[in-house]
Amino acid sequence: MQLSEQELVRREKLSKLRDLGINPYPADLYPVNNNSKQIKETYTEGKKVIIAGRLMRKKIQGKASFGEIQDSEGRIQVYFNRDEICPGEDKMLYNDLFKKLLDLGDFIGIEGEVFTTQVGEISVLVKNFKLLSKALKPLPLPKVDADGKEHDAFVDPEMRYRQRYADLAVNPHVKEVFVKRTKLFNAMRNFFNESGYFEVETPILQPIPGGAAARPFITHHNSLDIPLYMRIANELYLKRLIVGGFDGVYEFSKNFRNEGMDRTHNPEFTAMEIYVAYKDYNWMMDFCEKLLEHCAIAVNGTAEATFGEHKVSFKAPYKRITMADSIKEFTGFDITGKTETEIFNAAKGMGIEVDATMGKGKLIDEIFGEKCEGNYIQPTFITDYPKEMSPLCKEHRDNPELTERFELMVCGKEIANAYSELNDPIDQRERFEHQLKLAQKGDDEATEFIDEDFLRALEYGMPPTSGMGIGMDRLIMFLTNNQSIQEVLFFPQMKPEKKALAISEDAKAILELLTKVTKTELDTLKGQVGLSNKKWDKAIKELTKNTLAKVEKTDNGLFIEIV
């Protein structure tokens, strides 16, 4: 492990602390009785308080110094006076510990009295303090503009996501997103509980991946010697509980899909699914818009939310339009009664990339996604999906080609999906078998499994039921004005961090030049570096061996670029 100069200095201070008999990581309880917010909101001159947090500012002024402590509720100024802390002859606590051995980022505990400075800032006069934890890495420093205004310490999103602990420590506003995330979950949970529905838990490791069409993560159970699949959806298990006699069940579930990553997708995500007996999708639309209005107010204090350049209103009721009418509105093409070939040709004519593996449902989905979805900024229910798109959904009562399904669109993205649930076991088996045929044809969005146990459950009888799923990560993005899902996850999935390799100075010189160009001819680069043939060959081998750069042979010569 290669340490920076600051890290080496901090380790030296660690040794000096131990030499002085000071434990830099004490185990005993520290009796905190106030935080920064409480002190400011209930200000009482002379009040004795005990606080703790990170030392985030330290300004030495002889025998009197100022600092700033950051705790879970914010920051507060603290005033160190040597004669207050060390009233006797021994000034070691102030002179050695505070002035020389404490660093920004260290956790300290403070006993003191509340007062107001001459400029009116509420502060704590330190009577005694204790080191609670020594920080061996310096925190990222905030950027300061010409006017002295501080900006985020982390501006590189990848570094912020990898080191969320440091991000939270130096960018307190980031914490607010996650506070709102918890408010959202609590508001939704309370809404369901007050409606009389029951929170449950279903398996994460499943014998077959069911309830959605997605590529699963696969593991192996050693004792049973069988493959198991991490949950892609909890739908089929929740319906089993409706079969078992519950009138309404819901679950906040961690789901896992072994697919791509982008600004709105993470391989591990949180979904909420709810199933209510004796209801249909029309009832669920009413329920959904009341739920989301309630949640928006709980999170932001208003039903209005800002997302990018858009002002979004979650106040009920929401617009409703069928999928066929939506496609007709934005493309002029009416999918009603059309064959798969006609829809295929129409999609091609619209410039949509399609292929022979796509069934009718997938083709319609592509048309809607390309031409319609992005137009819905305000919450809008898209209803009555073609049967081919919804293998778990009840056939529409007025049109056998459609299903009783809706998706809720906000800012061009789906955040909720709901059905009148299919409860005919014979129809359900036929739908599953049709999905198998599509999968064998090459449709990557068709399920490859038939859940025989779920079909057996349906054969015992499931009452008329409506179910809904909501993507919680995406919903909190809209409520907190975040354009990337990584901003609303504490620890989003990332590519493995490249390890810093100890390479020669010659290899470093080549890399430094390569950062200025995307690709260059080896002979040109060699002239710029000015190494002997032997050193040159050795440095190039070093770079390619450590996969830091690659050499490519073309008709025009040998070229090198950073990997």
Side-chain angles (χ1 to χ4, degrees), residues 33-82:
N33 63 15
N34 272 269
N35 61 48
S36 57
K37 184 178 179 182
Q38 291 170 335
I39 291 170
K40 292 174 182 177
E41 289 183 348
T42 62
Y43 172 74
T44 305
E45 182 80 19
K47 178 183 178 182
K48 290 179 170 53
V49 295
I50 303 175
I51 59 173
R54 281 189 190 273
L55 182 64
M56 299 300 286
R57 183 167 65 88
K58 178 182 170 185
K59 187 175 182 181
I60 304 294
Q61 296 176 327
K63 70 174 187 177
S65 304
F66 282 95
E68 196 170 49
I69 294 295
Q70 177 175 289
D71 58 24
S72 63
E73 296 297 332
R75 295 187 182 187
I76 191 164
Q77 181 169 272
V78 288
Y79 175 61
F80 292 81
N81 185 294
R82 185 184 67 190

Side-chain angles (χ1 to χ4, degrees), residues 19-38:
D19 292 342
L20 290 170
I22 297 172
N23 183 354
Y25 305 105
D28 50 318
L29 173 148
Y30 193 77
V32 174
N33 63 15
N34 272 269
N35 61 48
S36 57
K37 184 178 179 182
Q38 291 170 335

Side-chain angles (χ1 to χ4, degrees), residues 496-513:
E497 197 169 0
K498 288 185 177 179
K499 294 181 179 179
L501 296 172
I503 59 174
S504 68
E505 292 302 317
D506 293 339
K508 286 179 184 176
I510 294 173
L511 273 182
E512 187 176 347
L513 284 172

Side-chain angles (χ1 to χ4, degrees), residues 196-198 200 202 234-250 273-279 284 421-423 454 457-458 460-468:
Y197 306 134
F198 192 64
V200 299
T202 61
N234 55 352
E235 176 171 347
L236 302 187
Y237 283 93
L238 292 175
K239 289 181 186 176
R240 286 169 167 92
L241 297 179
I242 298 295
V243 171
F246 286 95
D247 283 345
V249 293
Y250 70 93
E273 294 205 23
I274 182 168
Y275 292 82
V276 185
Y278 312 113
K279 309 297 183 185
M284 189 61 83
E421 300 296 337
L422 179 57
N423 59 345
F454 174 66
L458 286 186
Y460 280 105
M462 185 176 85
T465 299
S466 183
M468 176 174 66

